Amino acid sequence: MPDRPDYAALTRGQTALLRRINAGEAGLAVLNQLVCLAQDVLGGLGAGFAEYSPGHGRIIAASGICARALGRRVDRADARLTTGSRTQLVPLDDETAAQIDGGERHRVLGARCEIGGLVVGSLFVYYGEEHDEPGPEHHDVLDLLATNVGHMYGDQAGLPVHGDGPVVAALSDGLTVIDRDGIVQLWNPAAEQLTGRTVGEMLGRPLQFPVPPPGQVLVHRLPSGRLLKVTAGDLPNTAAMRVVTFRDSTDQDRRHEDRDLFVAVTSHELRTPVTVIKGYADTLTNHWETLGEDGRQEAVRVIGARAGELARLVDRLLSATSDDGEVGVHPPGPFDLVDGLRHAAGQLPVDLRRRLVLDRLPGELPKAFGDRDSLATILTELATNADKYSAGDTEVEVSAEADETTVTFRVADRGLGVKPEHVERAFERYWQGDSHDRGRNPGAGLGLYLVRRIVERQHGWVSLRPREGGGTVAEVRLPRA
């Protein structure tokens, strides 16, 4: 690590970032470039950014040796950077260091990212044992870059990535102050974004939607179709002014629509195997003698296959709709990942199994530690997702590898790809992409949500990323036994 930060690289990097922002780029793509800039300028082995939600955070951008941690959940309660100095040098314990690259003596220089006093996440750079301790100038540069991250969140362009928590509430609530005649005296930036009306258009003019009495909530539909949930109250020490806050509640309505879609799709998926099972069972009952031995064996085979499909579907339904349950979880232990993947692939529907390419699986790997039986569900969901979003004549490749601390497998397709702003949202329950991005089947928005829950219960993590040349790569990392 150099004695001083690379200020020439900092200048070039900041200029490149400004050009991208001025060109209209925003969100995760720009955040990723800023994280790479932090590593380059400060001479670390890797860098990353963890976005915070109410109870935990998640690494949503990473570079260098930290790239493997993309998608990993972090416990916000243990985050030292939420209080104290804005930048801190934190020694890592062996377990946390091992999750980065297998080392035992590492330090991280971290900086708190905040906007308006609200902590939105932390920016960090990792150093190895061969590095000297970062100096004051390194702290100052990281503080500068963390401030840039805070401003990106303040601009509300593609950030935050996750749709829950106080970050969204604080940054996206519209606020206006009106006098006793309903004339607008204050109009904040979020109000502009929510309504499409600028400060110049609103100051000194009547508020253009009704205001509920204090303590009540009113839902107002804008001409654009957006729904606003409006609340109001009197300003302290004045009888002439009222403060009105409002937020977008359109997504809440969409979640209700998603649940209705989930019920409809799940009902269809349940009905199909049940109908087939009943049909073949009736055939066996009514035509046992005339079927012959081959016909009876085929009927039993189909009933068994459809019963297995039905069992997986029910387990999926229960797991995905239970917030705290441990549905379908077996005691963890060492297992052969490659053998488990081949076995799980054999349980896939025939059409999907034909698309799967397992040639890149190695002969053997160090054993993983977790629930071997869960691979069937994980691979089914990832392969189904790949099948849904890619043309039927393309292959879905499964590969695997291991390093000092994790055993990894990937499912890669040549489909529509994943937008940077969707790589985390795709794991939310009931979330679905835009209608033109949904492939051949609409789905119910549960598959990836279920995969993340299962993998994280095994102390692993899962992430999505665009595939070079087009398509998507889903990567699952499990602890090495």
Side-chain angles (χ1 to χ4, degrees):
M1 180 180 65
D3 294 336
R4 303 184 66 195
D6 187 341
Y7 289 109
L10 177 63
T11 302
R12 291 192 301 269
Q14 290 277 59
T15 301
L17 284 170
L18 287 174
R19 285 174 178 165
R20 293 187 69 174
I21 293 171
N22 290 338
E25 296 186 63
L28 198 55
V30 179
L31 181 60
N32 271 307
Q33 183 170 338
L34 192 146
V35 167
C36 293
L37 178 63
Q39 178 187 342
D40 293 343
V41 172
L42 297 175
L45 296 173
F49 174 76
E51 181 182 273
Y52 294 155
S53 289
H56 64 273
R58 199 177 296 280
I59 297 175
I60 63 171
S63 67
I65 65 169
C66 301
R68 74 177 63 185
L70 195 65
R72 186 168 71 87
R73 177 172 170 146
V74 294
D75 189 352
R76 185 175 179 178
D78 295 336
R80 300 175 176 90
L81 294 168
T82 54
T83 59
S85 301
R86 284 176 53 86
T87 62
Q88 298 180 39
L89 187 64
V90 181
L92 299 182
D93 56 45
D94 291 350
E95 179 181 356
T96 304
Q99 290 178 329
I100 300 300
D101 76 338
E104 295 183 353
R105 292 179 294 277
H106 288 270
R107 293 168 296 182
V108 58
L109 178 62
R112 186 166 63 247
C113 304
E114 55 188 354
I115 181 72
L118 179 75
V119 179
V120 298
S122 58
L123 179 66
F124 48 88
V125 178
Y126 278 88
Y127 297 101
E129 60 180 333
E130 71 275 15
H131 289 120
D132 296 328
E133 183 170 311
E137 293 182 56
H138 294 80
H139 284 255
D140 291 341
V141 168
L142 190 64
D143 190 17
L144 169 66
L145 296 176
T147 301
N148 289 345
V149 174
H151 283 299
M152 290 172 62
Y153 274 80
D155 291 338
Q156 299 176 243
L159 297 172
V161 168
H162 296 94
D164 58 352
V167 173
V168 176
L171 295 180
S172 61
D173 277 9
L175 183 145
T176 181
V177 174
I178 58 175
D179 62 18
R180 67 175 66 189
D181 298 318
I183 304 301
V184 174
Q185 308 296 315
L186 182 146
W187 192 252
N188 79 338
E192 289 190 13
Q193 287 202 333
L194 288 170
T195 65
R197 292 303 192 80
T198 66
V199 174
E201 292 174 316
M202 293 305 300
L203 286 183
R205 292 179 171 82
L207 185 62
Q208 297 178 341
F209 52 82
V211 177
Q216 296 186 24
V217 178
L218 179 148
V219 177
H220 174 73
R221 184 182 294 274
L222 295 173
S224 64
R226 171 174 281 174
L227 297 177
L228 298 182
K229 184 175 289 187
V230 187
T231 59
D234 294 329
L235 278 175
N237 304 319
T238 174
M241 296 289 184
R242 301 188 73 187
V243 59
V244 181
T245 59
F246 45 95
R247 65 177 56 180
D248 189 348
S249 65
T250 310
D251 283 346
Q252 293 180 358
D253 279 15
R254 181 181 176 183
R255 284 195 290 271
H256 289 303
E257 294 174 2
D258 288 340
R259 288 182 177 90
D260 292 341
L261 176 62
F262 159 68
V263 172
V265 172
T266 303
S267 298
H268 170 74
E269 291 180 348
L270 285 169
R271 190 178 295 113
T272 300
V274 168
T275 301
V276 172
I277 290 171
K278 185 178 185 302
Y280 274 90
D282 289 344
T283 300
L284 285 173
T285 300
N286 300 324
H287 306 282
W288 180 270
E289 297 298 336
T290 59
L291 278 176
E293 184 63 24
D294 290 343
R296 289 193 291 266
Q297 288 186 3
E298 175 63 14
V300 171
R301 186 195 66 78
V302 172
I303 289 174
R306 290 293 188 167
E309 177 186 334
L310 182 61
R312 287 192 297 273
L313 181 59
V314 171
D315 186 67
R316 174 189 186 211
L317 171 63
L318 294 175
S319 297
T321 55
S322 170
D323 289 326
D324 301 309
E326 296 295 318
V327 179
V329 174
H330 298 83
F335 70 93
D336 186 325
L337 178 68
V338 172
D339 181 67
L341 287 171
R342 293 188 183 278
H343 180 75
Q347 300 181 51
L348 294 173
V350 175
D351 291 345
L352 184 53
R353 191 163 65 241
R354 288 172 179 163
R355 295 193 61 186
L356 226 59
V357 177
L358 306 177
D359 296 345
R360 298 187 62 184
L361 288 176
E364 61 180 41
L365 284 175
K367 291 189 182 300
F369 190 84
D371 175 14
R372 182 183 188 274
D373 291 340
S374 71
L375 283 182
T377 300
I378 296 171
L379 185 61
T380 297
E381 297 299 343
L382 295 181
T384 301
N385 213 51
D387 176 65
K388 183 191 304 181
Y389 291 98
S390 59
D393 58 351
T394 59
E395 296 177 335
V396 176
E397 299 178 7
V398 181
S399 59
E401 64 181 23
D403 56 32
E404 296 88 345
T405 59
T406 62
V407 184
T408 304
F409 74 92
R410 301 179 182 91
V411 177
D413 63 58
R414 287 297 183 191
L416 297 172
V418 57
K419 299 176 182 177
E421 62 268 29
H422 290 170
V423 294
E424 279 296 317
R425 294 208 65 193
F427 291 100
E428 295 177 9
R429 183 164 58 176
Y430 304 121
W431 186 87
Q432 299 175 80
D434 298 334
S435 58
H436 61 279
D437 290 340
R438 294 183 190 173
R440 298 187 299 278
N441 304 296
L446 284 173
L448 290 177
Y449 165 80
L450 177 58
V451 168
R452 174 162 273 178
R453 285 194 65 211
I454 293 172
V455 172
E456 289 189 346
R457 282 197 302 237
Q458 299 175 68
H459 305 290
W461 62 93
V462 57
S463 61
L464 291 181
R465 66 173 182 271
R467 186 181 185 187
E468 187 175 350
T472 303
V473 178
E475 180 179 274
V476 175
R477 286 186 178 269
L478 295 172
R480 179 169 161 171

PDB file of all heavy atoms in Angstrom, residues 35 38-39 42-48 66 89 107-111 123-127 142:
ATOM      1  N   VAL A  35     -17.071   2.023  -5.989  1.00  0.00           N
ATOM      2  CA  VAL A  35     -16.412   1.028  -5.128  1.00  0.00           C
ATOM      3  C   VAL A  35     -15.062   0.619  -5.726  1.00  0.00           C
ATOM      4  O   VAL A  35     -14.050   0.535  -5.019  1.00  0.00           O
ATOM      5  CB  VAL A  35     -17.332  -0.198  -4.942  1.00  0.00           C
ATOM      6  CG1 VAL A  35     -16.556  -1.365  -4.334  1.00  0.00           C
ATOM      7  CG2 VAL A  35     -18.505   0.162  -4.039  1.00  0.00           C
ATOM      8  N   ALA A  38     -12.563   3.303  -5.047  1.00  0.00           N
ATOM      9  CA  ALA A  38     -12.045   3.286  -3.679  1.00  0.00           C
ATOM     10  C   ALA A  38     -10.890   2.300  -3.547  1.00  0.00           C
ATOM     11  O   ALA A  38      -9.865   2.598  -2.916  1.00  0.00           O
ATOM     12  CB  ALA A  38     -13.171   2.937  -2.705  1.00  0.00           C
ATOM     13  N   GLN A  39     -11.045   1.110  -4.143  1.00  0.00           N
ATOM     14  CA  GLN A  39      -9.962   0.125  -4.075  1.00  0.00           C
ATOM     15  C   GLN A  39      -8.716   0.634  -4.782  1.00  0.00           C
ATOM     16  O   GLN A  39      -7.599   0.527  -4.255  1.00  0.00           O
ATOM     17  CB  GLN A  39     -10.416  -1.194  -4.708  1.00  0.00           C
ATOM     18  CG  GLN A  39      -9.318  -2.247  -4.727  1.00  0.00           C
ATOM     19  CD  GLN A  39      -9.704  -3.488  -5.505  1.00  0.00           C
ATOM     20  OE1 GLN A  39     -10.869  -3.726  -5.766  1.00  0.00           O
ATOM     21  NE2 GLN A  39      -8.708  -4.289  -5.887  1.00  0.00           N
ATOM     22  N   LEU A  42      -7.060   3.781  -2.909  1.00  0.00           N
ATOM     23  CA  LEU A  42      -6.551   3.544  -1.560  1.00  0.00           C
ATOM     24  C   LEU A  42      -5.675   2.299  -1.466  1.00  0.00           C
ATOM     25  O   LEU A  42      -5.200   1.956  -0.389  1.00  0.00           O
ATOM     26  CB  LEU A  42      -7.726   3.438  -0.583  1.00  0.00           C
ATOM     27  CG  LEU A  42      -8.547   4.734  -0.471  1.00  0.00           C
ATOM     28  CD1 LEU A  42      -9.757   4.519   0.413  1.00  0.00           C
ATOM     29  CD2 LEU A  42      -7.684   5.865   0.069  1.00  0.00           C
ATOM     30  N   GLY A  43      -5.442   1.619  -2.600  1.00  0.00           N
ATOM     31  CA  GLY A  43      -4.478   0.535  -2.623  1.00  0.00           C
ATOM     32  C   GLY A  43      -4.859  -0.679  -1.816  1.00  0.00           C
ATOM     33  O   GLY A  43      -3.987  -1.360  -1.258  1.00  0.00           O
ATOM     34  N   GLY A  44      -6.156  -1.003  -1.745  1.00  0.00           N
ATOM     35  CA  GLY A  44      -6.585  -2.166  -0.989  1.00  0.00           C
ATOM     36  C   GLY A  44      -6.649  -3.421  -1.834  1.00  0.00           C
ATOM     37  O   GLY A  44      -6.492  -3.393  -3.053  1.00  0.00           O
ATOM     38  N   LEU A  45      -6.866  -4.539  -1.170  1.00  0.00           N
ATOM     39  CA  LEU A  45      -7.051  -5.813  -1.870  1.00  0.00           C
ATOM     40  C   LEU A  45      -8.444  -5.924  -2.466  1.00  0.00           C
ATOM     41  O   LEU A  45      -8.674  -6.690  -3.395  1.00  0.00           O
ATOM     42  CB  LEU A  45      -6.827  -6.984  -0.908  1.00  0.00           C
ATOM     43  CG  LEU A  45      -5.423  -7.131  -0.323  1.00  0.00           C
ATOM     44  CD1 LEU A  45      -5.413  -8.232   0.727  1.00  0.00           C
ATOM     45  CD2 LEU A  45      -4.423  -7.433  -1.426  1.00  0.00           C
ATOM     46  N   GLY A  46      -9.369  -5.184  -1.912  1.00  0.00           N
ATOM     47  CA  GLY A  46     -10.748  -5.201  -2.386  1.00  0.00           C
ATOM     48  C   GLY A  46     -11.540  -4.120  -1.685  1.00  0.00           C
ATOM     49  O   GLY A  46     -11.062  -3.493  -0.731  1.00  0.00           O
ATOM     50  N   ALA A  47     -12.757  -3.869  -2.172  1.00  0.00           N
ATOM     51  CA  ALA A  47     -13.611  -2.845  -1.569  1.00  0.00           C
ATOM     52  C   ALA A  47     -15.057  -3.277  -1.741  1.00  0.00           C
ATOM     53  O   ALA A  47     -15.385  -4.142  -2.563  1.00  0.00           O
ATOM     54  CB  ALA A  47     -13.373  -1.482  -2.214  1.00  0.00           C
ATOM     55  N   GLY A  48     -15.928  -2.675  -0.975  1.00  0.00           N
ATOM     56  CA  GLY A  48     -17.345  -3.012  -1.076  1.00  0.00           C
ATOM     57  C   GLY A  48     -18.215  -1.975  -0.414  1.00  0.00           C
ATOM     58  O   GLY A  48     -17.734  -1.071   0.287  1.00  0.00           O
ATOM     59  N   CYS A  66     -13.172  -8.864  -2.495  1.00  0.00           N
ATOM     60  CA  CYS A  66     -14.498  -8.771  -1.878  1.00  0.00           C
ATOM     61  C   CYS A  66     -15.606  -9.195  -2.834  1.00  0.00           C
ATOM     62  O   CYS A  66     -16.759  -9.318  -2.414  1.00  0.00           O
ATOM     63  CB  CYS A  66     -14.762  -7.348  -1.398  1.00  0.00           C
ATOM     64  SG  CYS A  66     -13.579  -6.735  -0.197  1.00  0.00           S
ATOM     65  N   LEU A  89     -10.707   2.253  11.360  1.00  0.00           N
ATOM     66  CA  LEU A  89      -9.921   1.086  10.975  1.00  0.00           C
ATOM     67  C   LEU A  89     -10.320  -0.043  11.914  1.00  0.00           C
ATOM     68  O   LEU A  89     -10.126   0.038  13.121  1.00  0.00           O
ATOM     69  CB  LEU A  89      -8.427   1.374  11.094  1.00  0.00           C
ATOM     70  CG  LEU A  89      -7.502   0.276  10.562  1.00  0.00           C
ATOM     71  CD1 LEU A  89      -7.689   0.110   9.058  1.00  0.00           C
ATOM     72  CD2 LEU A  89      -6.052   0.600  10.882  1.00  0.00           C
ATOM     73  N   ARG A 107      -7.474  -6.179   8.008  1.00  0.00           N
ATOM     74  CA  ARG A 107      -8.103  -4.984   8.562  1.00  0.00           C
ATOM     75  C   ARG A 107      -8.955  -4.354   7.476  1.00  0.00           C
ATOM     76  O   ARG A 107      -8.699  -4.522   6.286  1.00  0.00           O
ATOM     77  CB  ARG A 107      -7.040  -3.977   9.026  1.00  0.00           C
ATOM     78  CG  ARG A 107      -6.218  -4.461  10.205  1.00  0.00           C
ATOM     79  CD  ARG A 107      -5.011  -3.578  10.420  1.00  0.00           C
ATOM     80  NE  ARG A 107      -4.090  -3.656   9.281  1.00  0.00           N
ATOM     81  CZ  ARG A 107      -2.932  -3.000   9.231  1.00  0.00           C
ATOM     82  NH1 ARG A 107      -2.572  -2.227  10.231  1.00  0.00           N
ATOM     83  NH2 ARG A 107      -2.140  -3.112   8.181  1.00  0.00           N
ATOM     84  N   VAL A 108      -9.956  -3.643   7.914  1.00  0.00           N
ATOM     85  CA  VAL A 108     -10.810  -2.954   6.960  1.00  0.00           C
ATOM     86  C   VAL A 108     -10.895  -1.487   7.366  1.00  0.00           C
ATOM     87  O   VAL A 108     -11.085  -1.157   8.535  1.00  0.00           O
ATOM     88  CB  VAL A 108     -12.215  -3.586   6.896  1.00  0.00           C
ATOM     89  CG1 VAL A 108     -12.904  -3.596   8.250  1.00  0.00           C
ATOM     90  CG2 VAL A 108     -13.093  -2.846   5.898  1.00  0.00           C
ATOM     91  N   LEU A 109     -10.690  -0.618   6.392  1.00  0.00           N
ATOM     92  CA  LEU A 109     -10.913   0.805   6.592  1.00  0.00           C
ATOM     93  C   LEU A 109     -12.317   1.089   6.097  1.00  0.00           C
ATOM     94  O   LEU A 109     -12.615   0.888   4.919  1.00  0.00           O
ATOM     95  CB  LEU A 109      -9.882   1.627   5.817  1.00  0.00           C
ATOM     96  CG  LEU A 109     -10.046   3.157   5.910  1.00  0.00           C
ATOM     97  CD1 LEU A 109      -9.889   3.633   7.349  1.00  0.00           C
ATOM     98  CD2 LEU A 109      -9.043   3.861   4.998  1.00  0.00           C
ATOM     99  N   GLY A 110     -13.186   1.500   6.997  1.00  0.00           N
ATOM    100  CA  GLY A 110     -14.586   1.703   6.650  1.00  0.00           C
ATOM    101  C   GLY A 110     -15.024   3.122   6.900  1.00  0.00           C
ATOM    102  O   GLY A 110     -14.462   3.836   7.731  1.00  0.00           O
ATOM    103  N   ALA A 111     -16.045   3.541   6.167  1.00  0.00           N
ATOM    104  CA  ALA A 111     -16.600   4.885   6.322  1.00  0.00           C
ATOM    105  C   ALA A 111     -18.114   4.803   6.319  1.00  0.00           C
ATOM    106  O   ALA A 111     -18.706   4.043   5.539  1.00  0.00           O
ATOM    107  CB  ALA A 111     -16.116   5.814   5.200  1.00  0.00           C
ATOM    108  N   LEU A 123     -19.085   2.128   3.356  1.00  0.00           N
ATOM    109  CA  LEU A 123     -18.114   1.889   2.284  1.00  0.00           C
ATOM    110  C   LEU A 123     -16.827   1.412   2.940  1.00  0.00           C
ATOM    111  O   LEU A 123     -16.372   2.018   3.918  1.00  0.00           O
ATOM    112  CB  LEU A 123     -17.886   3.180   1.496  1.00  0.00           C
ATOM    113  CG  LEU A 123     -16.885   3.143   0.342  1.00  0.00           C
ATOM    114  CD1 LEU A 123     -17.389   2.236  -0.778  1.00  0.00           C
ATOM    115  CD2 LEU A 123     -16.646   4.560  -0.190  1.00  0.00           C
ATOM    116  N   PHE A 124     -16.233   0.343   2.419  1.00  0.00           N
ATOM    117  CA  PHE A 124     -15.066  -0.213   3.105  1.00  0.00           C
ATOM    118  C   PHE A 124     -14.022  -0.690   2.104  1.00  0.00           C
ATOM    119  O   PHE A 124     -14.337  -1.072   0.975  1.00  0.00           O
ATOM    120  CB  PHE A 124     -15.473  -1.371   4.024  1.00  0.00           C
ATOM    121  CG  PHE A 124     -16.370  -2.383   3.373  1.00  0.00           C
ATOM    122  CD1 PHE A 124     -15.845  -3.454   2.668  1.00  0.00           C
ATOM    123  CD2 PHE A 124     -17.749  -2.272   3.468  1.00  0.00           C
ATOM    124  CE1 PHE A 124     -16.664  -4.386   2.061  1.00  0.00           C
ATOM    125  CE2 PHE A 124     -18.586  -3.206   2.860  1.00  0.00           C
ATOM    126  CZ  PHE A 124     -18.036  -4.266   2.153  1.00  0.00           C
ATOM    127  N   VAL A 125     -12.763  -0.663   2.552  1.00  0.00           N
ATOM    128  CA  VAL A 125     -11.625  -1.141   1.769  1.00  0.00           C
ATOM    129  C   VAL A 125     -10.857  -2.145   2.633  1.00  0.00           C
ATOM    130  O   VAL A 125     -10.566  -1.863   3.797  1.00  0.00           O
ATOM    131  CB  VAL A 125     -10.696   0.015   1.345  1.00  0.00           C
ATOM    132  CG1 VAL A 125      -9.498  -0.518   0.581  1.00  0.00           C
ATOM    133  CG2 VAL A 125     -11.453   1.035   0.509  1.00  0.00           C
ATOM    134  N   TYR A 126     -10.512  -3.312   2.055  1.00  0.00           N
ATOM    135  CA  TYR A 126      -9.822  -4.364   2.795  1.00  0.00           C
ATOM    136  C   TYR A 126      -8.321  -4.330   2.529  1.00  0.00           C
ATOM    137  O   TYR A 126      -7.888  -4.119   1.401  1.00  0.00           O
ATOM    138  CB  TYR A 126     -10.367  -5.738   2.396  1.00  0.00           C
ATOM    139  CG  TYR A 126     -11.634  -6.094   3.121  1.00  0.00           C
ATOM    140  CD1 TYR A 126     -12.869  -5.717   2.609  1.00  0.00           C
ATOM    141  CD2 TYR A 126     -11.611  -6.796   4.316  1.00  0.00           C
ATOM    142  CE1 TYR A 126     -14.043  -6.031   3.281  1.00  0.00           C
ATOM    143  CE2 TYR A 126     -12.761  -7.117   4.993  1.00  0.00           C
ATOM    144  CZ  TYR A 126     -13.981  -6.740   4.463  1.00  0.00           C
ATOM    145  OH  TYR A 126     -15.127  -7.045   5.129  1.00  0.00           O
ATOM    146  N   TYR A 127      -7.551  -4.575   3.601  1.00  0.00           N
ATOM    147  CA  TYR A 127      -6.100  -4.644   3.524  1.00  0.00           C
ATOM    148  C   TYR A 127      -5.624  -5.964   4.128  1.00  0.00           C
ATOM    149  O   TYR A 127      -6.217  -6.491   5.068  1.00  0.00           O
ATOM    150  CB  TYR A 127      -5.464  -3.478   4.288  1.00  0.00           C
ATOM    151  CG  TYR A 127      -5.804  -2.117   3.718  1.00  0.00           C
ATOM    152  CD1 TYR A 127      -6.781  -1.319   4.308  1.00  0.00           C
ATOM    153  CD2 TYR A 127      -5.162  -1.642   2.583  1.00  0.00           C
ATOM    154  CE1 TYR A 127      -7.097  -0.079   3.779  1.00  0.00           C
ATOM    155  CE2 TYR A 127      -5.479  -0.407   2.049  1.00  0.00           C
ATOM    156  CZ  TYR A 127      -6.451   0.373   2.650  1.00  0.00           C
ATOM    157  OH  TYR A 127      -6.763   1.585   2.110  1.00  0.00           O
ATOM    158  N   LEU A 142     -11.411   8.244   1.801  1.00  0.00           N
ATOM    159  CA  LEU A 142     -12.561   7.351   1.926  1.00  0.00           C
ATOM    160  C   LEU A 142     -13.784   8.116   2.419  1.00  0.00           C
ATOM    161  O   LEU A 142     -14.918   7.851   1.993  1.00  0.00           O
ATOM    162  CB  LEU A 142     -12.241   6.199   2.875  1.00  0.00           C
ATOM    163  CG  LEU A 142     -13.296   5.079   2.891  1.00  0.00           C
ATOM    164  CD1 LEU A 142     -13.386   4.403   1.533  1.00  0.00           C
ATOM    165  CD2 LEU A 142     -13.000   4.054   3.977  1.00  0.00           C
TER     166      LEU A 142
END
